[in-house]
Amino acid sequence: LNKPLAALGIHLFNSANGFKTSKKMNKDWLKTFKSCCVVLFLAAQINVFTGCQDDLPADSYYTFTGEMMSDFLKNREDFSLFRRIVERAGKLDFLGTRGARTLFPPINSGVEAFLKEKGYASVEDIPVSYCDTLLKSCLVERIIYTYDLGKTQQENNQLDLPLIIQTDGDTLDANHMVLSIINRRAAIINELKNDSVENGVVHPVDKVLIPNTSLGATLLDENHSQFSIFYEALRRTGLLDSLTRYQDESYEIWKEDYPRFKPNIVCGHDTDIFTAKRPDHRYSGFTLLIVPDEVLYEKYSDRFNEDMTMGEKIDALYRLAEEKYDGHAAAEIFGLNKPVPENPEGKTYKQLFWNKHSLTDRHNPLNMFLSYHILDRLFESTAKLVNCWGVHTQYANPTEWISTLLDFSTIKLEKVYSTVDPAVESPTDFYINHSVASIYNSGQRVRGAHLSLPDADNFSLNVAYYYVDDVLAYDETMRNNVMNTRMRIDFYTVWPELTNNKIRLCGNVTQPYGSYDNTENGTEGGGYNYYIPSNYIKGLKMNENAIFFAQRPKIGMTSAFDDCVSILGTYDLTFQLPNVPPGTYELRLGYGSMPDRGIVQMYVDNVPQGLPLDMREEGDSPIIGGLYNGWNGWRNSEENANGIYTSEELEENARVMKNNGYYCGPKSLYSGNDGTSGPQYSAAKCTLLYNLRATLRRKICNVNIKANTPHTMRIRSVFTPTGRGVFHLDYIELVPLGICGPGGLGEDQY
């Protein structure tokens, strides 16, 4: 209703007592209005008017009686100091303009503590530019109510810096009510939160939110008291100095070759018309998984103790690194046995650099060991660490496979649920390189390392860090046990740029598609749809005629993890496959079919693979041969009374589909809205991708992954119906060939 009402200049607002309007109305205007439409008055209901003329006299408008954010600060004495900060920034009028914002203003005692902390005698001593920064630090361009918050939620303020809001029950106020803590600094005051104003909502806080604008080396230098060994090793290997990369200044120039917004992108149904935004900047970032000193003293007491000198501790860590990366397989993977080109004696990298005097070389064991603890992207909070949307945790754990600074290596990030692994210490916790017991790891569960948050600030502009309770290594256990499984990799995690620039998991996932997706103002749920210029993503080659469209995530999409990347136009793109151990793998593409999709030829290492894929064909097409009870009906009568096929029939059909080069969608992924603000499966409201005839997995080929060698995948359009021919990049699967036999995990329905 709000949009037609606004067109008439009629302003309604919701207060604690309900909707209010002014009583004054011009009689002449009423006559004109009656000649255009019929007004129906319903008892005890608000009147709804639709306008029939645009030039109404000013005194015919409803009188606005609501309170803006600016009025909120003016009308409450306990915010007088922050109001003065806003006035000095010249932004009080801005807080009086219409919008949909969330403000976290500090009360006077919080401002007084800030002045003392920073050495200012009064608010008048704060530089005007810093006043502007302080306002932008506590202002978010979307409405957030505390009852919609998860245990950990990440939002971006007007500085494009993260606000990490934790409501995990660990901190209580004087009334024993759970507090929401922002950036480990300021608490939302429970008695004052969720105060609605006309242009948003206000959550008063007890301290000033100060933006963290330091780079990674400074962050670690200020907070390394609990991980002095790891910090010193980072310093001696030179990896600490490598954590300075942040913003690509050259992009600020060449981005102007591309429009800020690209409108009228048709992706999906004809009614789904999107406006996509160009990324504002091109940031880089890193996430460190740090082993605290206490863990080394406890778990490796035969190697480390507090009485050792720092030099002795680094030597002990070096010896541990040697053990983790010794052996022929590691030498092959990391090229240690290759001769160094510039060495006249023909010595290998291992012969030259496996010593304590070559710590800065990337082939050195300690350098390799630490590099594997550094991810090539920035995760400021656990809210963005693993995408849990659309994952049925009765069947599988939400999992991401992420590249590290160690060449040709991958790390497994996993949110482990007790429904999948009953041996997990906590019902839902984050683990690194974890694996449940299965026939593919000799029935031996691999616990991996448990991830936890440090007590101090854990993120800066380009670096975040977490604690792990054991060392990590791309060793035989990781390569042969943890990775000897079907690896399902979301395309949003293939490219670090999508995470580093807040494109992955942007906005409110529970906000469905709407008309606001075709505006330049962002979405009602926060965030944007994005298009990615050529040369923005490192290692991705894409022709200029193609449109790389990163559609914002939203529940109910017939895509894995409720997000997807689409390629439009006449496209030809090439990218590097994710890193997996040497061996032969079945390579699969997961996607959703639709009538507007195109036909593509796929290549691996620039060699064409099989017949082109027609993405218009659904699972019951004769060329695929799937059995489906309608478009999204239950397929198995043993799971649901509505099913019409027996397990035996579906097992036989799976063989038919496989012979045609296809698999059904997974049971562990679903589409739909469970009706909550968090990811949770509901049989009444969600549909498993296994049951959708439009969600399929296509076998591309068997690919032989060679050691120390990058492998590429190329996708080229060969048919684009009506000039559209959208290509759906949802996820890929890499499955070791040894587990692809009958009944193998690689062929599982999950």
Side-chain angles (χ1 to χ4, degrees), residues 113-330:
F114 166 79
L115 295 174
K116 184 177 180 180
E117 177 186 353
K118 296 298 182 181
Y120 296 122
S122 71
V123 169
E124 306 305 317
D125 289 343
I126 305 175
V128 170
S129 60
Y130 197 34
C131 289
D132 183 74
T133 296
L134 292 174
L135 170 60
K136 291 178 178 178
S137 296
C138 63
L139 193 60
V140 174
E141 284 294 334
R142 81 176 186 92
I143 295 177
I144 308 163
Y145 289 100
T146 59
Y147 45 76
D148 290 329
L149 295 174
K151 288 185 177 180
T152 302
Q153 184 150 332
Q154 181 173 328
E155 301 288 340
N156 272 20
N157 59 25
Q158 280 200 338
L159 296 172
D160 202 25
L161 296 174
L163 296 180
I164 313 300
I165 309 172
Q166 291 179 276
T167 315
D168 52 16
D170 289 343
T171 309
L172 306 178
D173 64 12
N175 297 318
H176 303 288
M177 295 177 62
V178 174
L179 285 168
S180 295
I181 309 297
I182 306 176
N183 288 359
R184 295 181 170 271
R185 176 179 175 85
I188 298 176
I189 300 170
N190 281 323
E191 293 83 359
L192 304 177
K193 66 186 180 183
N194 296 318
D195 200 334
S196 294
V197 291
E198 181 67 17
N199 55 349
V201 62
V202 178
H203 301 296
V205 293
D206 63 349
K207 293 182 180 178
V208 175
L209 289 173
I210 303 175
N212 188 342
T213 56
S214 63
L215 293 177
T218 302
L219 173 75
L220 299 176
D221 181 63
E222 293 174 350
N223 296 285
H224 71 269
S225 60
Q226 295 183 352
F227 55 92
S228 62
I229 301 173
F230 200 97
Y231 176 80
E232 181 63 18
L234 286 171
R235 193 187 66 80
R236 294 192 185 192
T237 55
L239 288 171
L240 190 64
D241 296 331
S242 69
L243 303 179
T244 57
R245 192 167 72 250
Y246 172 52
Q247 183 172 5
D248 179 4
E249 296 293 346
S250 68
Y251 176 68
E252 302 301 311
I253 300 173
W254 63 264
K255 73 180 182 183
E256 298 303 327
D257 295 335
Y258 298 86
R260 186 160 183 246
F261 291 96
K262 192 179 286 290
N264 301 322
I265 292 179
V266 180
C267 183
H269 302 289
D270 289 330
T271 55
D272 295 345
I273 302 175
F274 299 87
T275 290
K277 183 182 180 182
R278 178 196 70 203
D280 289 328
H281 308 288
R282 190 169 183 260
Y283 294 130
S284 297
F286 311 91
T287 300
L288 279 68
L289 305 172
I290 291 177
V291 186
D293 297 344
E294 185 178 350
V295 171
L296 294 175
Y297 297 148
E298 290 181 358
K299 290 202 171 183
Y300 299 89
S301 57
D302 58 330
R303 298 172 184 266
F304 300 91
N305 65 73
E306 295 184 61
D307 296 329
M308 297 167 63
T309 66
M310 183 55 71
E312 291 171 334
K313 294 173 183 177
I314 298 300
D315 286 347
L317 194 62
Y318 179 89
R319 288 190 294 271
L320 179 60
E322 276 188 317
E323 294 174 15
K324 292 293 184 181
Y325 292 104
D326 201 4
H328 177 74

Side-chain angles (χ1 to χ4, degrees), residues 603-615:
Y603 305 74
V604 172
D605 294 332
N606 217 28
V607 177
Q609 303 297 328
L611 297 173
L613 167 63
D614 190 341
M615 301 188 84

Side-chain angles (χ1 to χ4, degrees), residues 251 254-255 258 278-279 531-537 542 544 548:
Y251 176 68
W254 63 264
K255 73 180 182 183
Y258 298 86
R278 178 196 70 203
Y531 82 95
I532 310 300
S534 299
N535 301 318
Y536 185 86
I537 294 177
M542 182 174 64
E544 288 286 348
F548 186 112

